[in-house]
Structure formats: C-alpha cells, structure tokens
Amino acid sequence: MNQIGGFFDLWSPVLLLVVIIIGYVYSRLVANGNGISIDNEPVSVQQKLSFYTGLVLFYIGQGSPINYLGHHYLFSVHMLQQTLLYLTVPIFIWIGTPAWIIRKILKNRVIHALFSFLTRPLIALFLFNMLFSIYHMPLIMDGLMQNELLQLGYHTVLLISAFTMWFPVFCPLPELNRLSELKKLGYIFGNGVLLTPACALIIFADTVIYDMYANVTIPFAHLSPLDDQQLGGVIMKILQEIIYGATLAYIFFKWYRKERKEENYPDSFEVQDNLTPHGGNWNRA
C-alpha cells in the first residue's frame, strides 16, 4: 500500500449527509419541543453546542481521513479513532440530549425494557469493556478488518455499548439515574481498570500482533510497525486517563455544588424530596 486513497476514500459524503440529517432533526425537535408542555424542559445553548460537537466528532472519527488511515496504514491513528468514537462522542451526545426526547423514544415498552436493562451500571460497564477488549484481540481484529460488513456490524454494537456505558454517568433521566455521585466516581474508576489490560497488551508487545499492519509501507511517516503499534497503545491509555480524569472532576464538582446548594437552601431540597417522577411528570408522592 503505497498510494493514499482518493477523495471519496478519505472523506465520506454519505456519512456527512447522515450527520447533517441527524443534526437537522435534533434542531427541529428542540425548536418544536421547547415550551410546548411541562414535560419539555428548555434546551440550553450549552446542550445544543454539546450535541452538535458530538456529531462533528463522530464524523471526524468515522468519516474523515482518520478512518481511512487508521484502517489501512497506522494503528496509532486507529486508536485515536477509537478514543473519539467510544470515549468522547457519547459524552457530548448525552449531555446535549434533553430528557423529554429520550422519554418519547422509551414510550415503546420493548425499547424501554431493553434500554433499562443495557444501561444497568454493572451490565453497561462490563459489556463495553468486554466488547472493546475482544475487538482488539489480534485474531478478531484482523478478521473483522478483512470483512467490511462484519466490521460495520461490530463497530455499531460497540458504539451502542459505549453509549450505554456512559449513560449511568451522564444520565438525563432522573427516573433512570441509578448512581449517586460517589458511585459514579467508583464507576469511572472501574472503567479505567477494565480498559487497562487491552492497552497494556498493545504497549508492551515486543512484536507486531496485528497482521494487517505488519507489512504496511507508510509513505508519509518514519515509524516502524512496532513503534506505531506501541504508540497506539500509549495514545489510547493517555487519552483515556485524560477523559476519565476530566469526568471524575466534572462529577466531583457537580456533587460539591449540589452539597453547597443544599446547605444554603435546605428548604428547596425538602420540597424536591417530596416529588417523584412518573411518566415524565413530577407529581407529589
């Protein structure tokens, strides 16, 4: 492989169109939903920016040259793509998604039951990390990379599991928020521990473990395949630590602000404790 692909190899117009359509549908839902009923809490500018940022990052990870180079040339770029798609995009999307949109989707009993099961903290935690680790087993990854349909299917399942993994941390629905702030800190720590073996296997391997990258000629870089492989593991581990560290800080300071507010305005929180969610409405218990 000495030739870089053409424009349509490096950029995906079809995926760009899909991202634009999703962004447009979101903007219409937000515009039409704001203020219509008590269930539809207003969507802030920060939420909108977060959602659109998630879409942009998704396209950068899946539809830009990052996807092509990571698939054909550089394992390090592949690991950067993994970080964008599975450890970054879901955070921005969940923060930008108002609760009432999710409630509309979950009105279907089958979808609600499946979603509720997959977002249980322990199931979400182990499912994502198990799928991620299995994907990076040399035999599995080499096989998937040779079959575009299987690769697309596995990536779709892995992306869905990434969204379910992040849901307990950035849950927009009070009725499905199963973790306290303290438990969320432990949950993120557990994620870091479970992701470490896959990174360590890649970083400390003394041979190229993926056949698809073993004999690649890189026309624009001076990395050996082994150096590129180890760099990929380092990139994944460092970016994972940064993202998880930022998430821990976010949860901690959110918890701190909540505790301070309870101390300063205890009466308002007593009123909230007498309210329970029911079908998207807050009714007195």
Side-chain angles (χ1 to χ4, degrees), residues 179-183 185 250-270 272-273:
L179 298 179
S180 65
E181 276 73 12
L182 181 60
K183 290 181 179 179
L185 296 177
Y250 172 85
I251 296 169
F252 178 80
F253 285 111
K254 184 179 179 181
W255 182 18
Y256 175 77
R257 288 193 297 269
K258 179 182 177 182
E259 293 295 324
R260 289 297 300 271
K261 190 177 291 186
E262 287 183 6
E263 292 177 3
N264 295 332
Y265 305 100
D267 293 339
S268 64
F269 280 86
E270 288 179 5
Q272 290 182 21
D273 288 339

Short mmCIF file of all heavy atoms in Angstrom, two decimals, residues 179-183 185 250-270 272-273:
data_model
loop_
_atom_site.label_atom_id
_atom_site.label_comp_id
_atom_site.label_asym_id
_atom_site.label_seq_id
_atom_site.Cartn_x
_atom_site.Cartn_y
_atom_site.Cartn_z
N LEU A 179 -27.17 5.85 39.98
CA LEU A 179 -25.93 6.01 40.73
C LEU A 179 -25.86 7.37 41.41
O LEU A 179 -26.17 8.39 40.80
CB LEU A 179 -24.72 5.85 39.79
CG LEU A 179 -24.53 4.52 39.09
CD1 LEU A 179 -23.29 4.57 38.20
CD2 LEU A 179 -24.39 3.39 40.11
N SER A 180 -25.44 7.35 42.66
CA SER A 180 -25.12 8.60 43.34
C SER A 180 -23.80 9.12 42.79
O SER A 180 -23.08 8.41 42.07
CB SER A 180 -25.00 8.36 44.85
OG SER A 180 -23.90 7.51 45.12
N GLU A 181 -23.45 10.37 43.15
CA GLU A 181 -22.19 10.93 42.66
C GLU A 181 -21.00 10.10 43.12
O GLU A 181 -20.04 9.89 42.38
CB GLU A 181 -22.05 12.38 43.12
CG GLU A 181 -22.74 13.41 42.25
CD GLU A 181 -24.25 13.37 42.42
OE1 GLU A 181 -24.73 12.72 43.37
OE2 GLU A 181 -24.95 13.99 41.59
N LEU A 182 -21.05 9.61 44.36
CA LEU A 182 -19.95 8.80 44.88
C LEU A 182 -19.82 7.51 44.09
O LEU A 182 -18.70 7.08 43.74
CB LEU A 182 -20.18 8.50 46.37
CG LEU A 182 -19.09 7.67 47.06
CD1 LEU A 182 -17.74 8.41 46.99
CD2 LEU A 182 -19.46 7.39 48.51
N LYS A 183 -20.93 6.87 43.77
CA LYS A 183 -20.89 5.63 42.99
C LYS A 183 -20.42 5.89 41.56
O LYS A 183 -19.78 5.03 40.95
CB LYS A 183 -22.27 4.96 43.00
CG LYS A 183 -22.66 4.37 44.35
CD LYS A 183 -24.02 3.71 44.30
CE LYS A 183 -24.39 3.11 45.66
NZ LYS A 183 -25.73 2.48 45.63
N LEU A 185 -18.18 8.05 40.73
CA LEU A 185 -16.72 8.12 40.81
C LEU A 185 -16.12 6.72 40.77
O LEU A 185 -15.14 6.46 40.07
CB LEU A 185 -16.31 8.86 42.08
CG LEU A 185 -16.71 10.33 42.20
CD1 LEU A 185 -16.29 10.89 43.55
CD2 LEU A 185 -16.09 11.16 41.08
N TYR A 250 -15.55 16.53 36.76
CA TYR A 250 -16.90 17.03 36.47
C TYR A 250 -17.90 16.52 37.50
O TYR A 250 -18.72 17.28 38.03
CB TYR A 250 -17.29 16.58 35.06
CG TYR A 250 -18.73 16.85 34.69
CD1 TYR A 250 -19.12 18.09 34.18
CD2 TYR A 250 -19.70 15.86 34.82
CE1 TYR A 250 -20.44 18.33 33.84
CE2 TYR A 250 -21.02 16.09 34.48
CZ TYR A 250 -21.38 17.33 33.98
OH TYR A 250 -22.69 17.55 33.64
N ILE A 251 -17.84 15.22 37.78
CA ILE A 251 -18.77 14.63 38.75
C ILE A 251 -18.53 15.19 40.14
O ILE A 251 -19.47 15.53 40.87
CB ILE A 251 -18.63 13.10 38.76
CG1 ILE A 251 -19.03 12.52 37.41
CG2 ILE A 251 -19.48 12.48 39.88
CD1 ILE A 251 -18.67 11.06 37.25
N PHE A 252 -17.26 15.29 40.52
CA PHE A 252 -16.93 15.75 41.86
C PHE A 252 -17.42 17.18 42.09
O PHE A 252 -18.04 17.50 43.11
CB PHE A 252 -15.42 15.68 42.11
CG PHE A 252 -15.00 16.20 43.45
CD1 PHE A 252 -15.12 15.41 44.59
CD2 PHE A 252 -14.50 17.49 43.59
CE1 PHE A 252 -14.75 15.90 45.84
CE2 PHE A 252 -14.12 17.98 44.82
CZ PHE A 252 -14.25 17.19 45.95
N PHE A 253 -17.14 18.08 41.16
CA PHE A 253 -17.53 19.48 41.34
C PHE A 253 -19.05 19.65 41.24
O PHE A 253 -19.62 20.52 41.90
CB PHE A 253 -16.80 20.37 40.34
CG PHE A 253 -15.36 20.59 40.69
CD1 PHE A 253 -14.35 20.04 39.92
CD2 PHE A 253 -15.01 21.33 41.82
CE1 PHE A 253 -13.01 20.23 40.25
CE2 PHE A 253 -13.68 21.52 42.15
CZ PHE A 253 -12.68 20.98 41.37
N LYS A 254 -19.69 18.83 40.43
CA LYS A 254 -21.15 18.85 40.38
C LYS A 254 -21.73 18.42 41.72
O LYS A 254 -22.69 19.01 42.22
CB LYS A 254 -21.64 17.92 39.27
CG LYS A 254 -23.14 17.94 39.06
CD LYS A 254 -23.54 17.02 37.92
CE LYS A 254 -25.05 17.01 37.73
NZ LYS A 254 -25.45 16.09 36.62
N TRP A 255 -21.14 17.38 42.30
CA TRP A 255 -21.54 16.90 43.62
C TRP A 255 -21.28 17.98 44.66
O TRP A 255 -22.14 18.24 45.52
CB TRP A 255 -20.74 15.63 43.93
CG TRP A 255 -21.06 14.96 45.23
CD1 TRP A 255 -22.18 15.13 46.00
CD2 TRP A 255 -20.26 13.97 45.90
NE1 TRP A 255 -22.12 14.33 47.10
CE2 TRP A 255 -20.96 13.61 47.07
CE3 TRP A 255 -19.04 13.38 45.62
CZ2 TRP A 255 -20.45 12.67 47.96
CZ3 TRP A 255 -18.55 12.44 46.51
CH2 TRP A 255 -19.25 12.09 47.66
N TYR A 256 -20.13 18.63 44.60
CA TYR A 256 -19.77 19.67 45.56
C TYR A 256 -20.76 20.84 45.49
O TYR A 256 -21.23 21.33 46.52
CB TYR A 256 -18.36 20.16 45.27
CG TYR A 256 -17.92 21.34 46.13
CD1 TYR A 256 -17.53 21.15 47.45
CD2 TYR A 256 -17.90 22.63 45.59
CE1 TYR A 256 -17.13 22.22 48.23
CE2 TYR A 256 -17.50 23.70 46.36
CZ TYR A 256 -17.12 23.50 47.68
OH TYR A 256 -16.74 24.56 48.46
N ARG A 257 -21.09 21.27 44.25
CA ARG A 257 -22.04 22.37 44.11
C ARG A 257 -23.42 22.00 44.64
O ARG A 257 -24.10 22.83 45.25
CB ARG A 257 -22.13 22.78 42.64
CG ARG A 257 -20.90 23.52 42.12
CD ARG A 257 -21.18 24.16 40.77
NE ARG A 257 -21.49 23.18 39.76
CZ ARG A 257 -20.59 22.63 38.97
NH1 ARG A 257 -19.30 22.97 39.08
NH2 ARG A 257 -20.94 21.75 38.05
N LYS A 258 -23.82 20.75 44.43
CA LYS A 258 -25.11 20.29 44.93
C LYS A 258 -25.14 20.30 46.45
O LYS A 258 -26.12 20.74 47.08
CB LYS A 258 -25.39 18.88 44.41
CG LYS A 258 -26.71 18.29 44.89
CD LYS A 258 -26.89 16.88 44.36
CE LYS A 258 -28.16 16.25 44.91
NZ LYS A 258 -28.33 14.85 44.43
N GLU A 259 -24.05 19.83 47.08
CA GLU A 259 -23.99 19.82 48.54
C GLU A 259 -24.02 21.23 49.11
O GLU A 259 -24.68 21.50 50.11
CB GLU A 259 -22.71 19.09 48.99
CG GLU A 259 -22.68 17.60 48.69
CD GLU A 259 -23.74 16.83 49.46
OE1 GLU A 259 -24.00 17.21 50.63
OE2 GLU A 259 -24.30 15.88 48.91
N ARG A 260 -23.29 22.15 48.47
CA ARG A 260 -23.29 23.54 48.93
C ARG A 260 -24.67 24.16 48.79
O ARG A 260 -25.12 24.92 49.66
CB ARG A 260 -22.26 24.36 48.13
CG ARG A 260 -20.81 24.03 48.46
CD ARG A 260 -20.49 24.35 49.92
NE ARG A 260 -20.70 25.76 50.21
CZ ARG A 260 -19.78 26.70 50.08
NH1 ARG A 260 -18.56 26.37 49.65
NH2 ARG A 260 -20.04 27.95 50.40
N LYS A 261 -25.34 23.84 47.70
CA LYS A 261 -26.68 24.40 47.49
C LYS A 261 -27.66 23.86 48.53
O LYS A 261 -28.54 24.58 49.02
CB LYS A 261 -27.17 24.05 46.08
CG LYS A 261 -28.45 24.77 45.67
CD LYS A 261 -28.84 24.43 44.24
CE LYS A 261 -27.86 25.03 43.26
NZ LYS A 261 -28.31 24.82 41.86
N GLU A 262 -27.51 22.59 48.89
CA GLU A 262 -28.37 22.00 49.92
C GLU A 262 -28.14 22.68 51.28
O GLU A 262 -29.08 22.86 52.06
CB GLU A 262 -28.10 20.50 50.03
CG GLU A 262 -28.65 19.69 48.88
CD GLU A 262 -28.43 18.20 49.08
OE1 GLU A 262 -27.95 17.82 50.17
OE2 GLU A 262 -28.74 17.43 48.17
N GLU A 263 -26.87 23.02 51.54
CA GLU A 263 -26.57 23.70 52.80
C GLU A 263 -27.14 25.11 52.83
O GLU A 263 -27.64 25.57 53.86
CB GLU A 263 -25.05 23.76 52.99
CG GLU A 263 -24.40 22.40 53.23
CD GLU A 263 -22.89 22.51 53.35
OE1 GLU A 263 -22.37 23.66 53.29
OE2 GLU A 263 -22.22 21.47 53.50
N ASN A 264 -27.09 25.79 51.69
CA ASN A 264 -27.54 27.18 51.64
C ASN A 264 -29.05 27.30 51.49
O ASN A 264 -29.65 28.28 51.96
CB ASN A 264 -26.86 27.92 50.48
CG ASN A 264 -25.37 28.03 50.69
OD1 ASN A 264 -24.89 28.06 51.83
ND2 ASN A 264 -24.61 28.07 49.60
N TYR A 265 -29.68 26.31 50.79
CA TYR A 265 -31.13 26.38 50.56
C TYR A 265 -31.77 25.04 50.91
O TYR A 265 -32.29 24.34 50.04
CB TYR A 265 -31.42 26.72 49.10
CG TYR A 265 -30.74 27.99 48.64
CD1 TYR A 265 -29.57 27.93 47.89
CD2 TYR A 265 -31.28 29.24 48.94
CE1 TYR A 265 -28.94 29.09 47.47
CE2 TYR A 265 -30.67 30.40 48.53
CZ TYR A 265 -29.49 30.32 47.79
OH TYR A 265 -28.87 31.46 47.36
N PRO A 266 -31.76 24.65 52.18
CA PRO A 266 -32.28 23.34 52.57
C PRO A 266 -33.78 23.18 52.30
O PRO A 266 -34.24 22.09 52.00
CB PRO A 266 -31.97 23.26 54.06
CG PRO A 266 -31.85 24.68 54.51
CD PRO A 266 -31.27 25.42 53.35
N ASP A 267 -34.54 24.27 52.41
CA ASP A 267 -35.98 24.16 52.24
C ASP A 267 -36.36 23.73 50.83
O ASP A 267 -37.28 22.95 50.62
CB ASP A 267 -36.67 25.50 52.56
CG ASP A 267 -36.53 25.86 54.04
OD1 ASP A 267 -36.29 24.93 54.83
OD2 ASP A 267 -36.67 27.05 54.37
N SER A 268 -35.65 24.25 49.83
CA SER A 268 -35.97 23.92 48.44
C SER A 268 -35.73 22.45 48.17
O SER A 268 -36.45 21.82 47.40
CB SER A 268 -35.15 24.78 47.47
OG SER A 268 -33.77 24.49 47.62
N PHE A 269 -34.72 21.87 48.81
CA PHE A 269 -34.43 20.45 48.57
C PHE A 269 -35.42 19.56 49.32
O PHE A 269 -35.68 18.45 48.91
CB PHE A 269 -32.99 20.12 48.98
CG PHE A 269 -31.99 20.52 47.94
CD1 PHE A 269 -31.48 21.81 47.90
CD2 PHE A 269 -31.58 19.62 46.99
CE1 PHE A 269 -30.58 22.18 46.94
CE2 PHE A 269 -30.68 19.97 46.01
CZ PHE A 269 -30.17 21.26 45.99
N GLU A 270 -35.98 20.04 50.42
CA GLU A 270 -37.01 19.27 51.11
C GLU A 270 -38.24 19.15 50.23
O GLU A 270 -38.91 18.12 50.17
CB GLU A 270 -37.36 19.94 52.44
CG GLU A 270 -36.27 19.80 53.49
CD GLU A 270 -36.65 20.50 54.79
OE1 GLU A 270 -37.78 21.00 54.87
OE2 GLU A 270 -35.82 20.55 55.71
N GLN A 272 -38.21 19.20 46.92
CA GLN A 272 -37.88 18.29 45.83
C GLN A 272 -37.94 16.84 46.28
O GLN A 272 -38.29 15.96 45.51
CB GLN A 272 -36.48 18.60 45.29
CG GLN A 272 -36.40 19.92 44.54
CD GLN A 272 -35.01 20.16 43.99
OE1 GLN A 272 -34.23 19.23 43.82
NE2 GLN A 272 -34.70 21.42 43.73
N ASP A 273 -37.59 16.57 47.53
CA ASP A 273 -37.61 15.20 48.02
C ASP A 273 -39.02 14.64 48.06
O ASP A 273 -39.23 13.43 48.10
CB ASP A 273 -36.99 15.11 49.42
CG ASP A 273 -35.49 15.29 49.37
OD1 ASP A 273 -34.91 15.08 48.27
OD2 ASP A 273 -34.89 15.66 50.41
#
